Amino acid sequence: MELFLRHRGPYLPTRKWFVLLASTTVCALLLIAPASAARAPSHEQSAATHSARHESVSAGSMTPSYVARVRAQFRGIPPSFDLTSAPLSTTTHYRSAQRLTALALLTAVPRAIKADGVYLSAPANGSSWQWVTGGYLTFSWSEDWYCPGCDGVVVVVVGTDPGLSNVAYSGGGVCPASQSPSCPTSVNVSLNPGTYYWAVGLQLGTNPIHVSDEWSFTIVGASPPPAPVPPPTAPPPTAPPPTSPPPTTPPAPVPPPTPAVTFDDGPTLPTISGPSPGVSRKDPAYTHDAFVVSERHATAAYCWDGTDWGQLVQAPPGEIVLGVVDFKGHATEVSLAPNVCARLDILRYLNKRPAPNAWLANSVDALAHESLHTDGFRNEAMTECVAMQLTGFTSTLLGTKASYGRALANVLWSNYSVANKPPGYWSSRCHNGGPWDISAKSNSWPTP
């Protein structure tokens, strides 16, 4: 492999570009890991004192702020959220210790602080329920934990014994980074008659697991009534033999299965400017931005909806894929995950400017990263390093001020470490004045 230095483009005169020529691969995936684990808040405070606890972050720190808020009184259960619609094994792909499993929760139950900021609501402790065919119980709870700089997960486990060693049901959901509690707080579960025990736990980033009390309830079964005995009937009259066999009706044709979504479907997507819930689209604004960042190489930028994205990208458990370029047949087309487009839409179409955070920064970085792939970048570590430096510029293409774009780039740099990046996405060459600094004469890092 050879490394070439060249000057590019009139729109960013001071910028130098590096292109690493490498053998063509089938597909490049932009994988991100969350910010480094936040320092857990002190647990010395008694639950009876119910006051807010905060840990702030100094400028340039790689630890996102982690806040635990205990509400003084019950404020009601948020709208129900079907945990089964976002199982940990499919839509919550995230590479880090930020994956709370049923096994981890069960391990934490014996040493849990009672009602450690997670409070069960229903079914009530010691309650009894009548079993109904096809019915279900709604499990609900509330929680007080949140983390502005990291995502988390919540898990509910139902077992047939105290301690939950025999699991009858377990399910999990995502807790997005937020300034207030954001975990799902209810799920519908179908169970057979019997006595059950249940608990809920959550983990934000790599902070401690917080577990509720363990409650029990009973589902009382009812045997269905026996089927009525039909009265005796007279034997049917003997029919005369048919003179000719009845015509045979051919079976109805079986419709072909719906084909899976592939990259070949990208060029057929409708062109839609702005949010399009439930519909994959080619976005003209993001296509233009990718075209500029790639210096006239990118030809399209697609925003896929959740169903199509799940078929298009088969990510292993524990990873979240933000963007893809298919080098095999669609090397000039950028494909973006639905959550990436949703955050880009906030900046571009809703014209809002939330406080810079990791999710916004990673979404703008994903657009820049995949655009660079269409320009010939193949080395993932180099692509990520250059994309981080172009995040501020890409943000201005989305309509933000340069200062806002620099703030997003600073968020990326504060979280840039070998521990926070998937294998192959971090390099010691990426630093101010380093070999991959695209503006080595400038001391402004990471934004040229």
Side-chain angles (χ1 to χ4, degrees), residues 372-405:
L372 291 174
H373 277 318
T374 69
D375 192 20
F377 282 72
R378 294 296 183 267
N379 182 289
E380 291 292 359
M382 174 182 284
T383 304
E384 178 60 14
C385 182
V386 176
M388 176 174 58
Q389 297 173 69
L390 293 181
T391 292
F393 172 70
T394 306
S395 180
T396 63
L397 294 177
L398 294 167
T400 74
K401 293 182 178 180
S403 58
Y404 190 87

Side-chain angles (χ1 to χ4, degrees), residues 54-150:
H54 300 268
E55 291 195 11
S56 59
V57 187
S58 60
S61 170
M62 297 180 61
T63 304
S65 61
Y66 177 69
V67 183
R69 184 184 67 184
V70 180
R71 293 173 289 187
Q73 62 183 1
F74 179 71
R75 297 185 179 178
I77 299 297
S80 63
F81 179 90
D82 183 3
L83 295 177
T84 60
S85 68
L88 292 175
S89 61
T90 55
T91 61
T92 60
H93 300 311
Y94 215 93
R95 180 195 295 272
S96 76
Q98 194 173 338
R99 289 174 291 173
L100 175 60
T101 63
L103 179 59
L105 173 58
L106 298 178
T107 304
V109 166
R111 63 174 185 272
I113 301 173
K114 290 296 184 180
D116 185 19
V118 184
Y119 311 105
L120 304 184
S121 299
N125 193 22
S127 61
S128 180
W129 302 81
Q130 182 65 46
W131 181 82
V132 178
T133 302
Y136 60 85
L137 276 179
T138 296
F139 290 75
S140 61
W141 58 93
S142 62
E143 51 90 10
D144 296 319
W145 298 94
Y146 63 92
C147 180
C150 59

